[in-house]
Amino acid sequence: MNRIYLDNAATTPLDKEVMAEMINVMENYYGNPSSIHAQGREVRTLIEKARKTVAGLLNATPAEIFFTSGGTEADNTAIRCGIAAFGIKHAITSKIEHHAVEHTLDQLLKDGVIDKLSFVNIDAKGNVDYDHLEQLLKENSRSFVSLMHANNELATLTDMEKVGDICERYEAIYHCDTVQTMGHYVHDVRKIKAHFIVCAAHKLHGPKGVGFLFVNHTVKISPMIYGGAQERNMRGGTENVYGIVGLAKALEMAYSHMEAHQTYIQELKTYMKDKLVAEIPAISFNGETDPDKSLYTVLNVSFPAMDMSDMLLFNLDINGISASGGSACSSGSNIGSHVLTAVGTDPNRPSVRFSFSKLNTKEEIDYVIEKVKHIVEQNIAV
């Protein structure tokens, strides 16, 4: 059997239709979009068409969409520039956010840009305590809230509309890292009430190195990257035209087939979960697995303690299976998953994140179960 790719939360294969769209641009459109001549204008038209496509899918206006190099830049821009624009001194996040959020807020605290960083309570499955969020907002000055839509390791979903309503009551600025869910769920920015949401195209079968930041029209921020007047003076630097066109095409395709893909991929996830329970004793799962509470593309599996547990991913790899994972941090010197540590996962149990796409099959899942079962039986700790 060919290699089986179950690491789609890290990145997805580029869709062939997206690639064809990008190749067409590469071959036929080479002008600088900032140039006023014909070649420049036709490339500018491609960018603005892509912006209009993205905006339409999100129920946003084109003026609210800013193309970036990916999710990390978009998160950094939202956090740094959003906090600066309003002179905010208090930020609220969780201990299971992506490093693009966690490290940015840590640095702002270290630099004295903010005076206080609060962490909302989460339970053992990564669910946000909404009452505690409201309490933190009530007890502090105007705050900046950054809580992701779906955790990239646990798959646990946060109710964006609920967070948006709470933030609105206390005039907080709300940023949501939607990298893992963009293209997998409908994001209607008029219902969410978020001031910032983000996208990385490579998480939805688009190209790497491009993404976007949605900035609600009620928010005015300064650029993080200075240079030319690109992106309406919001991001200096010649635009990644091929990437932008590819992003718009990938998002358009994701929305067109979203319901069918949700159903198909959720069936794969449920199938794998049930087979693992049936075949491997003492197995458990990290984060939520209920379809209504978890991202359907991610399943985080906690295996029984075993000899050479740190070699589990390597053993999967040599059996032709690509996945990711690790374990909770057991000591200050052990660099494990900050997410699994935050939710209290047993550091002695290795965890693997299997993440699915529209390209995976049940036959692949059967092969993975067979190999995983063999690996566990050969290495189970007595």
Side-chain angles (χ1 to χ4, degrees):
M1 180 177 284
N2 294 327
R3 285 199 64 90
I4 295 172
Y5 187 74
L6 289 176
D7 199 19
N8 291 279
T11 195
T12 53
L14 185 64
D15 192 284
K16 290 181 179 179
E17 289 187 48
V18 174
M19 185 185 299
E21 195 95 352
M22 294 173 67
I23 290 173
N24 176 54
V25 178
M26 291 178 191
E27 291 179 339
N28 299 295
Y29 301 90
Y30 53 85
N32 188 313
S34 295
S35 299
I36 61 172
H37 50 60
Q39 287 98 331
R41 292 197 305 273
E42 63 183 7
V43 174
R44 169 59 54 194
T45 298
L46 292 176
I47 293 174
E48 296 313 318
K49 180 183 177 184
R51 196 187 314 277
K52 186 176 180 181
T53 295
V54 171
L57 294 170
L58 270 59
N59 195 21
T61 65
E64 294 175 302
I65 304 299
F66 298 91
F67 294 115
T68 68
S69 65
T72 294
E73 183 194 328
D75 282 336
N76 269 259
T77 302
I79 294 168
R80 291 178 175 276
C81 301
I83 285 173
F86 293 92
I88 291 173
K89 294 297 181 181
H90 176 241
I92 300 171
T93 189
S94 79
K95 291 190 175 181
I96 60 171
E97 299 299 308
H98 190 276
H99 283 150
V101 170
E102 179 196 23
H103 290 173
T104 302
L105 288 169
D106 284 346
Q107 192 62 45
L108 291 178
L109 182 64
K110 188 182 298 182
D111 292 343
V113 176
I114 56 175
D115 298 330
K116 185 179 179 183
L117 179 58
S118 299
F119 296 95
V120 67
N121 292 338
I122 53 171
D123 66 17
K125 292 187 176 181
N127 292 293
V128 168
D129 182 338
Y130 300 105
D131 291 335
H132 185 229
L133 172 61
E134 184 156 15
Q135 181 184 335
L136 289 172
L137 288 167
K138 189 182 299 185
E139 293 175 350
N140 291 277
S141 57
R142 190 180 192 185
S143 304
F144 186 96
V145 175
S146 183
L147 294 170
M148 67 201 321
H149 185 198
N151 187 268
N152 54 301
E153 294 190 42
L154 302 174
T156 302
L157 288 166
T158 296
D159 189 333
M160 294 177 70
E161 290 190 35
K162 189 166 187 174
V163 174
D165 288 340
I166 295 171
C167 287
E168 185 178 54
R169 285 201 291 274
Y170 296 91
E171 299 185 338
I173 302 299
Y174 173 32
H175 159 252
C176 187
D177 180 349
T178 48
V179 163
Q180 286 294 337
T181 58
M182 186 62 63
H184 298 294
Y185 296 93
V186 172
H187 289 88
D188 185 337
V189 297
R190 298 302 162 227
K191 292 181 179 179
I192 297 168
K193 298 181 182 177
H195 298 92
F196 306 100
I197 63 173
V198 305
C199 170
H202 72 104
K203 305 289 189 178
L204 53 128
H205 302 283
K208 297 175 179 62
V210 65
F212 69 77
L213 170 65
F214 160 81
V215 182
N216 194 293
H217 69 277
T218 61
V219 175
K220 303 299 179 187
I221 61 174
S222 297
M224 186 174 76
I225 297 175
Y226 288 86
Q230 292 88 357
E231 292 302 291
R232 301 185 307 288
N233 293 302
M234 270 296 296
R235 184 186 187 271
T238 302
E239 297 92 339
N240 176 5
V241 183
Y242 324 120
I244 289 169
V245 169
L247 183 161
K249 179 65 174 179
L251 191 63
E252 188 174 44
M253 290 177 63
Y255 267 71
S256 296
H257 306 288
M258 188 178 290
E259 188 174 342
H261 289 163
Q262 282 180 346
T263 300
Y264 177 72
I265 298 170
Q266 180 61 60
E267 287 176 355
L268 287 181
K269 176 178 174 176
T270 302
Y271 181 71
M272 185 173 194
K273 176 178 175 288
D274 292 345
K275 292 273 285 186
L276 284 167
V277 170
E279 297 290 340
I280 303 174
I283 205 164
S284 62
F285 301 94
N286 300 314
E288 290 285 0
T289 57
D290 184 322
D292 294 329
K293 298 180 179 179
S294 69
L295 173 61
Y296 59 90
T297 58
V298 173
L299 180 66
N300 195 304
V301 185
S302 181
F303 289 95
M306 64 182 78
D307 297 328
M308 306 285 287
S309 62
D310 56 338
M311 297 294 286
L312 179 55
L313 287 175
F314 175 75
N315 283 322
L316 289 173
D317 189 37
I318 63 176
N319 279 281
I321 301 163
S322 297
S324 62
S327 62
C329 310
S330 59
S331 69
S333 61
N334 175 31
I335 302 174
S337 164
H338 72 286
V339 172
L340 296 181
T341 300
V343 296
T345 302
D346 184 348
N348 297 311
R349 292 174 63 111
S351 296
V352 176
R353 180 187 68 180
F354 296 103
S355 47
F356 317 93
S357 83
K358 62 185 180 180
L359 303 176
N360 292 121
T361 65
K362 281 189 175 181
E363 290 74 22
E364 290 179 330
I365 303 301
D366 287 335
Y367 176 83
V368 172
I369 297 295
E370 176 191 335
K371 294 301 179 182
V372 166
K373 182 181 180 183
H374 177 73
I375 293 168
V376 171
E377 287 176 347
Q378 291 295 309
N379 295 279
I380 195 76
V382 179

